[in-house]
Every structure is written in structure tokens, then in C-alpha cells.
Amino acid sequence: MDNKELQRIKSRKLKNSVFHGLIFFCTIFGVIVLALLLYDILKKGLPWLTIDFLTNFPSRFPKKSGIFPGLLGSLWIILLTAALAFPVGVGTAIYLEEYAKENRFTEFIKLNIANLAGVPSIIYGMLGLAVFVRALSMGRSVLAASFTMALLILPIIIISSQEAIRSVPSALKQASFALGTTKWQTVTGVILPYALPGILTGTILAISRALGEAAPLIVVGALTYVSFIPKTPLDQFTTLPIQIFNWSSMPKREFQNVAAAGIIILLGILLLANSTAIILRDKYQIKIKD
Amino acid sequence: MEPKIKIRDMNFYYGDNKALKDINMNIYEKKITAFIGPSGCGKSTFLRTLNRMNDFIEDTRVEGKITLDDIDIYSKDIDPVELRRKVGMVFQRPNPFPKTIYENIVYGLRKNGVNDKQILDEVVEDTLKSVALYDEVKDKIHKSALELSGGQQQRLCIARAIAMQPEVILMDEPTSALDPISTMKIEELLLDLKENYTIIIVTHSMQQAARISDETAFFLNGEVIEHGETKVIFSNPRDKRTEDYITGRFG
């Protein structure tokens, strides 16, 4: 090896380590920003996070402010949204994957569902306002908001359910059919049990997206100052993200801290939902490894 | 003896491609009929026309007539779901459901509305005994079927098929994914099962056909070149192509 060759190897090694450093920085950048945000929120919010904060209504005084109506509003909407979107979404996925014939119409529907998943959420809010709030006169209610949110997450649920159903080995389906079962019996007997972990994971992730949405609900008409809790689906409501948004725009500085405490609650719920998705997936994956 | 299954002038198409040509064949009750021939010659396709599994493949078409006990299985009055209860199937690779051994066997019965635990328990024990699996798995009947070895899984799949008490069992190369010992066990099992069932087996192995079958049909390029008693086919084939194939000159 002469000098020139050594020089070349050296410069190649240098390039290698520069690139290594660059992509490492890219990775760490996101983590650092997230850590800083979390640190800031926890520092501001933790001291304000008390039982009273969870059970109080919003107030003009930061010390007395609580998140109770937002928390309940969010829970109401999430439960109703899930109850609306889950059966429709899974049903659509079963139809598209198992029943629909491969033709232009099916292709058209599939393409549209994929496109709908990319539509900005505020558009759904406007649709909800026009259709559910006005045309179907549900008013600015929990119900109208849930229908709007259900539409918003429906494409995500359909697409992830389709993927889960597609992953069912055709050998299992054939085994079921060969035993003299109908299509529906095969769907309930083999396909759904096998695909369920994937379907649940997709659904929970979609629901946690809905949990964090504020824009469409503002359009549908969520309130920003609420001194009551929704008792029926036809009541008015507010949700966590809207309440947080409202506090963060208050002139009093202390409300920034109240907002931070609210963010911690919202993050906690999101984390809980996502871990449930992971736990469900892992639990069932061990059972049906092959 | 009246044939169990009669196939008359049958053609099968994948789209415009004619995969099976002018098939005429009689299949007899309580005998093992083996289909041999090189890959892609239509053996499996033909097997699947007998329980209408090809219905699931889009753009396929059957011409001619196939009867089971003199009933046309492609007639409009026949529900393929009903047909498949009478004509069971075992596949190339063991494909137990990701359920317990017990639930695998009773799956078909449950779907047909049998839920009496006593009956199901009996069926599980009887079928496991008849596939010679009972002693090996009796302590783990309620454990996952996926914990069994490949050979055991395939015997479980046979048990699952016979739990429906079919009249005919179709087998699509049931031992090609198994080791020699498991293969031997399954071959012994088939000789036992022939007492009660009409068995049709597709096999890559001519030795296997010679060992266990009563009748053999030799397929080539979608046609049945020769069909007859296994002894005759292997000792004294009429057609030059059959002779070339069984002596290993091609395939």
C-alpha cells in the first residue's frame, strides 16, 4: 500500500464518521426537542396538578380552575366516536377485503378511502357543521361532534383493518371453507380472530388521534367556557384540547401553568391509549405465532 | 360396482387458458385413488374441482359434468357449502387454526350448530384415535395446535376433516412438507381410513402412489394419459408417456 492509497482510505473513513455523526444528530434532534418540551410542561404544570384540578370547573381564577368538563367531554366523545366508527370501519374493511369483487367501483372506493385519510381535519369540522349540526339538527352537541370525529377516523380504521384482514394466511381461510363453512362463518371463525389484534391496534391509534383534535370540534361548536358537564349526547360540551387552547390564550400568566397541567392530563391519556394498543398487540401475537 | 364420483367430458379454464382437457374418470368408493404427474399438469386443479374450491378463484369455469352419487355437483341446486361437508380436504402444508387442538377438531361441527359438549368431546376423542394422535396429545388437547410438530399438525388436519364425517377426502400432496417418518405414519393412516372413506390423493411421489393407492391416474399437460389399477399402471403401462414418467425419464 502506497501513500496515496492510505490517503484515500483515510478520507473515506472521515466521510463515514461525518455521515454517522450527521444521522445521529438527526435522530437525537427530535428526542431533544421532545425532552425540552416535556421538561417545560412538567416544570410548569406538575405543581398545579391536584385532585381539585381534575374535579373543578374552569374559573376566572387560575388557582380554582379545573379540567373536569373537558375531561368528561373528551371521554363522552371518544366513547361515542369509537362506538360509531369501529363497527362501520371494520364492516367496511371486511366488505372490501372479503366480499367486494375486484372491479373499477371497488378500486374507486379504495382510492377514495386512502385519500380521505389525508384530508385536513378542519374540513371534517366544516362537513360536521353543515351535515350533523345544521342539516340533521343535532345542534352543537356531543352527538354531532362524535359523528364528525367518527368520520375523521373512519378512513384510518378502515385502512388498518384492511391490512390486518389481508394478513390472514389464505391457507387458514381455505381450511375453513373446506370444512363446509359459509363466508360469514369463515369471517367470524377464522378471519376476525386472527386479524383482531391488528384491528384493535389501528382503532386505538385512530382514537388517540381523535382525542388530540381541537380544530374540527371548534368548527362544530365546542364551547370554550363550560360550567356544567354533559349528561346526555345532546348536551353541549368542551374537550381537553379546546380547554387547553383556551387557557393558553388567557392574559393572566398563571393560566399558562394551568394549561401545562391540562397538557399533562391529555398526554397521560394518550400514553395510556397507546400502551393499551401495544399490550393488546403483543398479548395476541404470542398466542398466534406460527 | 357403481362409481362414487363420475367425471364426464370435463374441461376447466383459467380465463382463456384451458387447464384440464376432456377428463373422463370414475372414482370408486372406499378406495384410494392417486393422481400422479409432473408439476403444473393439473392434478391439484382437478382435485379442487371435486369440492368446488376453484369457485374462489375469479375467472375460472368448468365444462362437462361431475357427479357425486349421481348428483351433478355443479348444478344450480347444489350449495358448494353443503358439498364441502361431504367432500373434505387436506392441504399440502399443515394448516391448523391458531386455536386449541380441541377447537380445531370441533370447528366444522360448531359452525354447523353442534354445541353439545358431550358429543364434541366424543368426536374429539374418536377422531384423534382414528388418526393415531390420541396417545401423543391427550394431555394437551386444550393447548394450541401450533405447538405440535409438522407431522402431528397434518394428522390433526386429517382429524379435523374426518370430524365432519365426509364421504370423500381429497388430499393435495399431504406429505410433501413432512419428514419420512411422519410420511410413513400418514400413509399407514390412509390405509386405515380407506375402510370408511373414499380417498383421492395428489402426490409427487410415484413410490407413494405405488405403496398406498388402488387406482392411479397419470396426468400430463391437463390431460389424463392413463388411468387404471395401480398395479397395472406401474407394471404394465399402456402408454409410452406413462412408462417414461414412471421410469423417471422425465418429470
Side-chain angles (χ1 to χ4, degrees), chain B residues 24-66:
Chain B
N24 282 285
M25 196 186 287
N26 290 330
I27 289 166
Y28 294 94
E29 196 170 10
K30 296 184 182 170
K31 290 207 187 299
I32 299 181
T33 303
F35 296 166
I36 59 169
S39 297
C41 65
K43 310 180 295 274
S44 292
T45 302
F46 180 50
L47 192 73
R48 287 162 167 269
T49 59
L50 303 179
N51 66 344
R52 296 188 54 174
M53 285 299 274
N54 288 327
D55 290 15
F56 294 110
I57 306 171
E58 274 180 46
D59 210 13
T60 59
R61 175 160 72 83
V62 176
E63 281 173 5
K65 200 167 181 186
I66 302 176

Side-chain angles (χ1 to χ4, degrees), chain A residues 104-125:
Chain A
R104 287 217 174 145
F105 179 67
T106 314
E107 278 308 303
F108 178 75
I109 291 182
K110 285 184 182 174
L111 185 73
N112 270 288
I113 290 170
N115 281 336
L116 283 177
V119 170
S121 58
I122 193 136
I123 308 290
Y124 283 97

Side-chain angles (χ1 to χ4, degrees), chain B residues 152-166:
Chain B
Q152 289 173 324
Q153 287 187 2
Q154 193 63 307
R155 277 182 282 154
L156 176 66
C157 291
I158 297 173
R160 182 174 67 184
I162 63 179
M164 297 298 290
Q165 296 185 307

Side-chain angles (χ1 to χ4, degrees), chain A residues 238-286:
Chain A
T238 189
T239 64
L240 288 175
I242 292 170
Q243 186 65 69
I244 292 165
F245 174 70
N246 178 237
W247 279 328
S248 64
S249 55
M250 292 274 199
K252 262 191 205 158
R253 251 194 93 70
E254 276 174 313
F255 271 113
Q256 303 291 322
N257 300 339
V258 181
I263 289 171
I264 295 173
I265 298 290
L266 184 58
L267 277 179
I269 294 176
L270 284 173
L271 211 61
L272 203 70
N274 286 346
S275 343
T276 315
I278 293 167
I279 290 166
L280 275 175
R281 197 182 54 206
D282 288 355
K283 190 183 149 199
Y284 285 101
Q285 256 170 4
I286 295 164

